[in-house]
Amino acid sequence: MPFDFRRFDIYRKVPKDLTQPTYTGAIISICCCLFILFLFLSELTGFITTEVVNELYVDDPDKDSGGKIDVSLNISLPNLHCELVGLDIQDEMGRHEVGHIDNSMKIPLNSGAGCRFEGQFSINKVPGNFHVSTHSATAQPQNPDMTHVIHKLSFGDTLQVQNVHGAFNALGGADRLTSNPLASHDYILKIVPTVYEDKSGKQRYSYQYTVANKEYVAYSHTGRIIPAIWFRYDLSPITVKYTERRQPLYRFITTICAIIGGTFTVAGILDSCIFTASEAWKKIQLGKMH
């Protein structure tokens, strides 16, 4: 007797003449297919969409930076001449630089009465400050006007990622034009290292920061008012990491199989219950007629 491989078929076929279509079954089948289609499209959207997850850890993420952080500063002082504007940098490693000029540019404003300072420089990864002042000027003005607008202050690489909304330029747009012209401004920054890793594993290093500020009038030892715009910074030991992730293909396939199988199973049970109840009701009605 030849071996019949069809014995292994667990999906035995029922002849059509032994099945009975019903209106209820048709409605349930249509609703079932629409429901499966809706869930499939929802899962497909989630599978295609890139998810950005974040985590926190304690470490210096950019160990190849040489202990430096790149800074980009763009600030306008509409009532201070460019020859008076300078950038000074200090930190706890002993750095004290007055009148930093590398990679910086001064653009006259208001017919030369004001100045826009744009500069890129680096700071050490230790607490310190950099400030815009008249300290590097050849002759100190009598009443320097430190009212200003900060267009940009950022640290590290510029991250322009749609799914990440961080404080990478928290001071951008800060307007102090209505402040006391002779007042000094202290911006106290807490810098948070930030890493963004895309799907290919490439990492970009940037820094977010929080800011608090105060305004006061400062006097020198001679009694003169010498205002400045101070940016005092410290680094957080906590690093924020953003990672792009996409749902694995096997998980997508598993979910789709679960949706199809589960929906058909529940629909079959529901149809069977309705059909059984309907047949029982018909028998009851026939019993009353007899």
Side-chain angles (χ1 to χ4, degrees), residues 50-57 161 163-164 194-203 240-246:
T50 299
E51 179 187 14
V52 177
V53 297
N54 61 76
E55 59 180 312
L56 305 177
Y57 61 91
V161 184
N163 295 329
V164 175
T194 304
V195 183
Y196 188 88
E197 182 177 316
D198 59 22
K199 295 189 295 292
S200 65
K202 180 181 178 181
Q203 293 185 340
V240 180
K241 183 178 182 181
Y242 297 98
T243 307
E244 288 185 354
R245 290 181 183 173
R246 179 169 288 176

Side-chain angles (χ1 to χ4, degrees), residues 132-135 143-146 181-184 218 225-230:
V132 177
S133 67
T134 61
H135 299 164
N143 296 305
D145 187 334
M146 282 294 167
L182 297 178
S184 290
I225 299 176
I226 306 179
I229 304 168
W230 297 81

Side-chain angles (χ1 to χ4, degrees), residues 21-36:
T22 62
Y23 287 107
T24 304
I27 294 173
I28 292 177
S29 297
I30 294 173
C31 293
C32 177
C33 291
L34 292 176
F35 185 66
I36 290 175

